[in-house]
Amino acid sequence: MDQDITLTLQEVRDELGEYPDPVLEELDRAMNVMPSALSESQVAQWAASGLDMAGQTVRSWEAATQYYRVSPIVLGYMPFNYFLKWAGCGSSLCRESPTLAAAYFEASPGTMGKLRSRHIESWAGLGRSLYRGTWKSSTLACKFFASSPDLLETLTFPELERFVGFLGVLSHRSHDLSAECLVLSQRIFPLLQGDKAPFVALASDMAQSGWREVKSFLESATKALPRIQSDERLRFLKIAERLVDAGGLNIPTAMLDISQSMTR
């Protein structure tokens, strides 16, 4: 091993000693399982990136700890140049909120296997778009990152972008409501075959025209959709869409009634 690189790595370890113990512990643990294909300079670059992150703010050491912890797994999904892009996205998030960055890193092992490398920056940007510097917006954005592996099981990336747009619109009314709808939607998407855009469009329309009913609409959808044959569910959503467009009242109850009639 080149002496300069050895000193560089040692300097990183020495400086990390100024932070809480978990940071250095995760660095050392990750060092033992990093891919052998990495060059010594790449390993040094990886270690230094975490040190830079740890020094950004008072609590950014927590994000650096997650970064070191998941790095060996994430490296298994992408070449090193994309890995650096992934690390850079996390570092940018950390400048905004160490909590948000930690959630991004923690969700990455489950997400990277379902996300094309070219979408890394966009995925980070989706979470960032939900964060507005408040505790509640941070909770919503972190919940989005944590939910990403499950969401990407059933959504394409363009569908995920549209869905986050819906959450963003709703969050202007209530971050708590948006977070609840994020959870409810994860129960609905697996029930929809093929294109999810009609459902997301319908939910977005309701967020604009009758946001107080959105949660009830989603709760009704979780009850109504299982009653309907899978090949009839798109037609069901089209009927609901027409009701919304016509300014119908009490859409959630109407959905349940329609689903009952479609099962007879």
Side-chain angles (χ1 to χ4, degrees), residues 65-180:
T65 301
Q66 288 293 339
Y67 163 74
Y68 285 134
R69 184 178 67 82
V70 303
S71 287
I73 303 173
V74 173
L75 272 165
Y77 290 115
M78 63 189 69
F80 192 70
N81 62 319
Y82 277 107
F83 174 81
L84 291 179
K85 184 176 293 187
W86 167 81
C89 288
S91 183
S92 295
L93 288 172
C94 191
R95 294 186 189 97
E96 296 283 340
S97 164
T99 301
L100 191 60
Y104 164 83
F105 287 128
E106 187 173 4
S108 289
T111 302
M112 291 301 111
K114 300 162 186 172
L115 191 72
R116 293 184 178 180
S117 296
R118 60 187 173 88
H119 288 146
I120 292 171
E121 289 178 292
S122 297
W123 176 59
L126 291 178
R128 173 64 186 84
S129 72
L130 296 172
Y131 176 67
R132 300 192 180 95
T134 64
W135 176 76
K136 287 191 174 183
S137 68
S138 175
T139 299
L140 173 62
C142 290
K143 190 180 292 289
F144 162 72
F145 280 130
S147 302
S148 291
D150 287 338
L151 290 170
L152 287 167
E153 285 283 356
T154 53
L155 299 179
T156 66
F157 195 78
E159 288 170 343
L160 182 68
E161 290 179 311
R162 295 187 194 100
F163 177 60
V164 172
F166 155 70
L167 294 177
V169 168
L170 201 56
S171 70
H172 283 290
R173 299 291 188 176
S174 167
H175 286 101
D176 290 339
L177 178 61
S178 188
E180 289 175 325

Side-chain angles (χ1 to χ4, degrees), residues 25 58 70 223:
E25 290 171 359
V58 175
V70 303
K223 299 173 184 176

Side-chain angles (χ1 to χ4, degrees), residues 5-261:
I5 293 177
T6 302
L7 288 174
T8 300
L9 289 172
Q10 186 58 51
E11 286 173 357
V12 170
R13 295 190 79 264
D14 289 344
E15 293 196 40
L16 286 177
E18 300 176 5
Y19 297 97
D21 292 344
V23 189
L24 187 55
E25 290 171 359
E26 291 297 342
L27 169 74
D28 289 340
R29 187 177 293 113
M31 283 284 293
N32 291 328
V33 293
M34 290 293 274
S36 59
L38 291 184
S39 68
E40 294 176 345
S41 63
Q42 287 173 331
V43 172
Q45 190 174 4
W46 159 75
S49 294
L51 174 61
D52 289 342
M53 197 181 312
Q56 286 182 7
T57 67
V58 175
R59 300 301 298 268
S60 59
W61 65 268
E62 296 172 344
T65 301
Q66 288 293 339
Y67 163 74
Y68 285 134
R69 184 178 67 82
V70 303
S71 287
I73 303 173
V74 173
L75 272 165
Y77 290 115
M78 63 189 69
F80 192 70
N81 62 319
Y82 277 107
F83 174 81
L84 291 179
K85 184 176 293 187
W86 167 81
C89 288
S91 183
S92 295
L93 288 172
C94 191
R95 294 186 189 97
E96 296 283 340
S97 164
T99 301
L100 191 60
Y104 164 83
F105 287 128
E106 187 173 4
S108 289
T111 302
M112 291 301 111
K114 300 162 186 172
L115 191 72
R116 293 184 178 180
S117 296
R118 60 187 173 88
H119 288 146
I120 292 171
E121 289 178 292
S122 297
W123 176 59
L126 291 178
R128 173 64 186 84
S129 72
L130 296 172
Y131 176 67
R132 300 192 180 95
T134 64
W135 176 76
K136 287 191 174 183
S137 68
S138 175
T139 299
L140 173 62
C142 290
K143 190 180 292 289
F144 162 72
F145 280 130
S147 302
S148 291
D150 287 338
L151 290 170
L152 287 167
E153 285 283 356
T154 53
L155 299 179
T156 66
F157 195 78
E159 288 170 343
L160 182 68
E161 290 179 311
R162 295 187 194 100
F163 177 60
V164 172
F166 155 70
L167 294 177
V169 168
L170 201 56
S171 70
H172 283 290
R173 299 291 188 176
S174 167
H175 286 101
D176 290 339
L177 178 61
S178 188
E180 289 175 325
C181 290
L182 168 59
V183 174
L184 283 168
S185 296
Q186 289 176 257
R187 295 167 53 190
I188 295 171
F189 288 132
L191 299 173
L192 301 173
Q193 293 183 337
D195 188 10
K196 311 300 188 300
F199 168 76
V200 177
L202 177 56
S204 298
D205 287 345
M206 291 202 66
Q208 295 280 6
S209 62
W211 65 273
R212 296 181 189 279
E213 282 196 320
V214 172
K215 181 182 176 182
S216 296
F217 159 71
L218 295 179
E219 289 174 334
S220 295
T222 63
K223 299 173 184 176
L225 287 170
R227 299 173 180 171
I228 303 168
Q229 293 293 326
S230 58
D231 57 355
E232 289 288 300
R233 289 171 185 168
L234 179 58
R235 185 167 74 90
F236 168 73
L237 291 176
K238 290 293 185 183
I239 295 172
E241 183 180 23
R242 287 196 292 271
L243 289 174
V244 173
D245 291 343
L249 301 176
N250 203 357
I251 301 297
T253 299
M255 289 176 61
L256 292 174
D257 292 342
I258 294 168
S259 67
Q260 289 279 20
S261 67

